[in-house]
Structures are given as C-alpha cells and as structure tokens.
Amino acid sequence: MRLTHVGGPTLLVEVAGWRLLTDPTFDRPGRRYAFGWGTSSRKVTGPALEPADLPPLDAVLLTHDHHADNLDDAGRALLPSAPVVVTTASGAARLGGTARGLRPWQTTVLEAPGRPSLEVTATPARHGPPLSRPIAGDVVGFALRWEGQRDGVLWISGDTVLFGGLREVAERLRVDTAVLHLGGVRFPVTGPLRYSMTGRHLVELCELLAPRTVVPVHYEGWSHFAEGRAQVERELARAPEVQRTVRWLPRGEAVELAPV
C-alpha cells in the first residue's frame, strides 16, 4: 500500500492495483470560503501536488461535497476525470454523473479487469456536536477491503467528532490502517464547539480501534483548523502506545506502508 499526502484531507491511495483519491482540494492559498451559517475559513497552504501530477485515477472517495476544505473548485473540476465518485447519498444527488451515494454501512464494489474487487463501505460520521447534522450536513467515512488483506481494513474517518458512530466502527470492524481527519475545527460564531477530532480524540479512538498504523490528515492548511501537528503530538506524548502507531506523511511524497 502506498499513500501520498497532497495536503489537508487529500490523499492518494494506491493499493492492489487501484488508485484512489480522497477529498480533492487543489485550489491555491489565499482565498476565503463561506461555509454557511456565518462561518468561513481562509486556505493558507496550497497543495503539494497539482492534478496534472497525479496518475490516472480509478475513483474518488469524497467524504462530503459541501465544504471547500474537502472539495474546492479545482477539486470539483477534477471529478469528471474519475470513473467513479463514491460519496454520501445527498452528495451523489447533487453531483450526479458517476457519483455513487452511500449511507452508513452501505457498500459498493469497484471492479476492473486484472485487479481484485475493492469493497467500499461507508461508515458513520458526525461533523459537529449533537443535533448539528441539519447545519453541518451529511458526512461519511470509508472502510476498504480487497482480496489478500491480512489483518483488517483500511479506514478513512472523514470529518467527524468522536461520537457513538465511531465506537460502532471499533465494534464492527478490525481496522489495520486508520486515516484520521483531525484539526479540532472551531468557528468563532459557535465558540468552543468542535467539528472534527482533536489529538485527545485521536488517542481515545485509537485505544478502542487498536490499529497497526495511524495516518493523520486534515490538520493543516486552513485557518479554521484549531489544532495542528504540534498540539496533536503533545497529546500523543501522553500515550506512547498510540504514539508508536502514528505515521506523519511528508506532503507530496509517496510512502510505502506494509501490506494489510
């Protein structure tokens, strides 16, 4: 398995002959984006790679389509080049085309000649505090399974806080590699409320999941990310068993992980 962190939540996943891209964000930095309900954010770091630098894609895994820090204008322009876009049911209705919409625990199968079938199962996510879904919108994570896996799924959390749905993931799935969306997102208009996981949440979740490898994403590049790598590492220092599992990927460089 080879992972390339483009920036923010955008990750190129190459596994079992498949090339998948998560949450495409390729706009240049400097612009402010409105997220609705009086919230906004400025992009402060550009992507480590351009769309032209990517290999041909087999699919895009889009945790949600309605926030620019997960799908910006350049990322949206890339979507038609992917044969399949897997996303939320509401997002697929908005995007149309090749988009396949999944609700939590629904599965779709990607198939192509000469490659093992790849199962993509949507997992629960809640992009904010209780009762925030009508405002924050639908989000899903993704669990990936393919023939030849030895010890669990590759799981991508999506933008989510730590809530009962993630504890359900720990109960229902054996997770080998966990790609976790962090950032501890906050907005001035809602004060201390969080809209994505913090370093403390990472530690608590990993104590439940016990993954072999943890890959943080979605912790840098935007002004509404309240926790960066330094804050997360301070929490990890208090949990050495979890700390040993964490792989911080260099931006723009392919990193080989041991096969799952």
Side-chain angles (χ1 to χ4, degrees):
M1 178 166 58
R2 183 162 59 183
L3 303 180
T4 306
H5 189 198
V6 176
T10 309
L11 189 69
L12 176 64
V13 179
E14 298 176 272
V15 62
W18 293 92
R19 296 188 181 103
L20 315 169
L21 189 71
T22 68
D23 290 351
T25 53
F26 289 95
D27 283 0
R28 309 313 307 165
R31 176 178 162 192
R32 180 167 289 277
Y33 299 78
F35 290 165
W37 297 85
T39 63
S40 67
S41 182
R42 184 177 300 278
K43 188 170 188 179
V44 297
T45 304
L49 300 173
E50 299 296 331
D53 299 325
L54 300 175
L57 299 174
D58 299 301
V60 169
L61 305 180
L62 180 60
T63 65
H64 59 301
D65 69 304
H66 51 282
H67 292 153
D69 60 322
N70 295 81
L71 182 68
D72 58 19
D73 291 344
R76 194 175 293 270
L78 174 145
L79 294 184
S81 68
V84 179
V85 177
V86 185
T87 188
T88 62
S90 57
R94 287 187 289 267
L95 293 172
T98 63
R100 300 184 190 179
L102 298 178
R103 292 181 172 84
W105 301 117
Q106 290 184 330
T107 296
T108 190
V109 179
L110 305 182
E111 296 181 301
R115 285 177 254 171
S117 298
L118 183 67
E119 290 187 2
V120 181
T121 299
T123 59
R126 194 183 76 201
H127 200 359
L131 307 179
S132 64
R133 195 178 305 276
I135 298 172
D138 293 332
V139 180
V140 292
F142 298 106
L144 308 184
R145 295 182 180 89
W146 59 91
E147 183 180 352
Q149 277 179 321
R150 297 191 306 196
D151 192 27
V153 302
L154 167 61
W155 178 53
I156 300 159
S157 71
D159 286 10
T160 182
V161 295
L162 182 60
F163 77 117
L166 298 195
R167 295 181 179 93
E168 186 181 0
V169 170
E171 293 169 359
R172 295 180 60 161
L173 298 177
R174 170 69 183 99
V175 176
D176 182 87
T177 300
V179 176
L180 300 185
H181 290 216
L182 304 178
V185 166
R186 291 191 302 190
F187 297 100
V189 71
T190 53
L193 297 179
R194 301 281 185 172
Y195 295 85
S196 66
M197 285 189 286
T198 64
R200 185 175 301 176
H201 295 150
L202 177 152
V203 169
E204 184 177 343
L205 178 59
C206 289
E207 287 173 345
L208 295 173
L209 292 172
R212 179 178 57 87
T213 305
V214 178
V215 177
V217 298
H218 193 269
Y219 59 86
E220 45 73 39
W222 290 80
S223 63
H224 65 306
F225 291 177
E227 279 199 4
R229 176 172 175 173
Q231 292 94 328
V232 175
E233 288 188 321
R234 280 198 291 270
E235 291 293 337
L236 289 170
R238 302 184 182 100
E241 290 189 7
V242 174
Q243 185 181 44
R244 284 192 287 271
T245 69
V246 174
R247 292 286 302 271
W248 297 94
L249 301 184
R251 289 176 5 106
E253 297 181 22
V255 174
E256 297 280 352
L257 298 183
V260 301

